[in-house]
Amino acid sequence: MSSDDNKKLRSRDWFGKKGKDGFIYRSWMKNQGFPPDEFEGKPVIGICNTWSELTPCNAHFRELAESVKRGVWEAGGFPLEFPVMSLGETLIRPTAMLYRNLASMDVEESIRANPLDGVILMCGCDKTTPSLVMGACSVDIPALVISGGPMLTGKFRGKDIATSDVWRFAADQKKGEMDDEKLKAAEGAMCRSRGHCAVMGTASTMASMVESLGLSLPGNAAIPAADSRRKVMAHRSGRRIVDMVEEDLCPSDILTKEAFINAIKVNAAIGGSTNFIVHLTAIARRIGVDIKLDDFDKYGSDIPLLVNLQPSGDHFMEDFYYAGGLPVVIKELKDHLDGDAITANGKSLYENNAAAECFDRDVIASVDEPFQEEAGITVVRGNLCPEGAVIKTSAASPELLKHRGKAVVFENIEDYHERVDDPNLEIDKDSVMVLKYVGPKGYPGMPEVGNMALPQKLLEEGVEDMVRISDGRMSGTAFGTAFLHVSPESYTGSNLALVENGDIIEVDVKNKRLHLDVPEEELEERRKNWSAPEHENYDRGYGNLYINHVEQAHLGADLDFLVGKSGSEVKRESH
Ligand code: FES
């Protein structure tokens, strides 16, 4: 980049200044040992790092950031790494989703407030991808995602395992088929390398989302974290972001409506997580693209399932990479996608993926011989969910997609835990399990509890799946006939709050219907006696802000005042 071009660099407003201000901006940076020429007009690339030992999926990110830096230096940029709030799915209570929007604020303000010309977003564990992308969209300077990559496939007693097996192990333990010792051994066997969950859970879905949106380099999604080619991808991403600054290629140039529709179709083909819906919607609303809940059905429901990965299928992310990864899926979908959509490397989606080759048809199917004809997420409506609810049909039992059953209601998650294994609980395989107050405001934070584990007595009878309904989410690693994201949520006094034990509920996925078979007059009577449950410990602080401002699931569960973008300009200085 020539010094003439440097006039347009945002960072010149800091490091190019003369006098006292320029002195302060440069001098305090020089205490890190940077030579003076680093401040002479090189593009400053922020490396937005979600490294944390509390986010095990991202614990290798300090090392990965070094590869990014090598690429930035090599391309003539000046890399500066900075930490942002990191959200580890496994440890954070009550749920990492409560903090997705908070982390996105941290990212947005950190980028805007600092002398950055472009930014690398280091994403891994579930929420670290949407929070970083949402924040970057609201600033809209050149941004490129490098994902941390999945773990290697777990190996346990001669079997391949990964996160989806946690649900199976828990069920086996309930049935008395797995003792504590075996369970402990499985812990280490499953998480045997760096990286995020090794199935097509939310983290892998998010990595695939950014690749199909065009926000990462092609091939980014599936490379295992432990594979040296992950570092190569980081290195190349470091090089590329410097060029993106020169080209002024910003998220708003890449994230067109067509790019979002492409991502919806790719997500259907890979059997991606239902969490994709809330995150993609929130990103679209940040960048100003009109994506509605029905679009996920409209564009995704007739897309064939091309990927045979757990939790819906048999294989793991490592196998997906060896089979050719997401580029093969994108190539297979060429008649469905807008291949002209521009991506972060400046090429179109088709240019990037035209030469992709499949090396294992048991992992990635051709579009002519898919694993399932129609695989996307179905949006259902009815008096239980006037604004919609969603179901991942590829993870559900086909025989339960049309069903009538009596509701067994759990008033909250504690009530569920207390009663679900009570031998006296009146429930059978045809019952419909209903869980209230696990929506965005009600929990608060919309946790991944929608795939409630089945009662022990039914598991012992050999029951493997039942219809479940809630306003919560489901882990991307989970499976079952779970209707999720019911909107409006029960905490707002919607009909979900009024369901009682024994009410008949009718589900009919083909006709996109979820109906509470109780007369409207009866519901009105019940509504008169309803009041929202009290929240404990949320009368101040971020939790209070969240409850008062979070939007409903069908809008992406962002905070209402964060929707949209403010750009990158900051006119005032601190000294
Ligand atoms: Fe981090 Fe699954 S816990 S991706």
Side-chain angles (χ1 to χ4, degrees), residues 57 89-90 125-126 196-197 203:
C57 304
E89 206 61 30
T90 52
C125 197
D126 299 9
H196 62 67
C197 292

Side-chain angles (χ1 to χ4, degrees), residues 161-267:
I161 61 165
T163 315
S164 298
D165 289 284
V166 174
W167 316 110
R168 295 188 186 97
F169 293 155
D172 287 350
Q173 198 188 27
K174 267 190 172 190
K175 288 185 277 181
E177 292 171 7
M178 191 159 187
D179 60 26
D180 286 353
E181 207 176 308
K182 267 194 208 161
L183 203 62
K184 225 175 210 173
E187 289 170 7
M190 191 180 78
C191 294
R192 70 186 179 99
S193 83
R194 53 176 58 190
H196 62 67
C197 292
V199 298
M200 189 48 82
T202 303
S204 303
T205 299
M206 290 294 97
S208 302
M209 175 189 79
V210 292
E211 187 171 333
S212 55
L213 282 170
L215 283 180
S216 72
L217 294 183
N220 168 66
I223 308 170
D227 193 307
S228 54
R229 286 165 287 187
R230 175 56 64 190
K231 285 187 180 172
V232 174
M233 178 60 71
H235 189 126
R236 288 175 50 225
S237 299
R239 280 186 200 155
R240 175 59 195 157
I241 186 67
V242 177
D243 290 341
M244 287 174 74
V245 170
E246 188 169 7
E247 294 161 18
D248 198 25
L249 184 60
C250 297
S252 58
D253 299 314
I254 295 169
L255 295 177
T256 58
K257 175 120 185 186
E258 291 69 34
F260 282 96
I261 294 171
N262 284 344
I264 289 171
K265 292 178 175 178
V266 171
N267 189 61

